Amino acid sequence: MPMVLKAAVQLGVLEIIQRAGPGALLSLSQIASQVPNFRIKLLDSHSILTFSLETKNQEDGRVVRLYGLAPVAKYFIRNPDGGSLATLLDLYQDRAFIDIWAHGMSAVEYVGKEASFGEIFKGSMIDYNNMFVEEM
């Protein structure tokens, strides 16, 4: 699930639904037209997205699944102050973060040794703090 959420954030799936307006529900084809070849059903199974079934054509009974944002999705969309938990997904999915234990050091210590990891770490901490400064 974390990799699917990371992909959704990187591909802008949550923003696509957000741009459609408050309470918007989009079909998979509407989302996929902007993000081709993406598996979105896993996001609704983990309550990142909601879904609703709608009968599109009363004559043939064709049902379309429409997707919207679940309340938790707002934390993965950049807020007006620049805060988002999305960059934490980059941090937690980074190969260096996964392998830090093998180096026998903390993430903070490893930041000094690996510049690219340092940038991911710094960005995720800034975005995390911006997310909750607004709340205070």
Side-chain angles (χ1 to χ4, degrees), residues 35-75:
V35 183
N37 200 18
F38 182 67
R39 297 181 185 236
I40 200 165
K41 290 181 180 177
L42 189 58
L43 292 172
D44 81 58
S45 72
H46 287 277
S47 301
I48 304 298
L49 298 179
T50 61
F51 77 92
S52 177
L53 299 176
E54 179 181 292
T55 303
K56 283 305 239 185
N57 185 336
Q58 296 296 331
E59 294 173 10
D60 68 7
R62 189 173 65 110
V63 175
V64 176
R65 192 174 179 119
L66 301 175
Y67 294 90
L69 297 176
V72 72
K74 74 178 182 179
Y75 295 109

Side-chain angles (χ1 to χ4, degrees), residues 68-83:
L69 297 176
V72 72
K74 74 178 182 179
Y75 295 109
F76 298 97
I77 299 170
R78 192 162 302 284
N79 70 20
D81 295 324

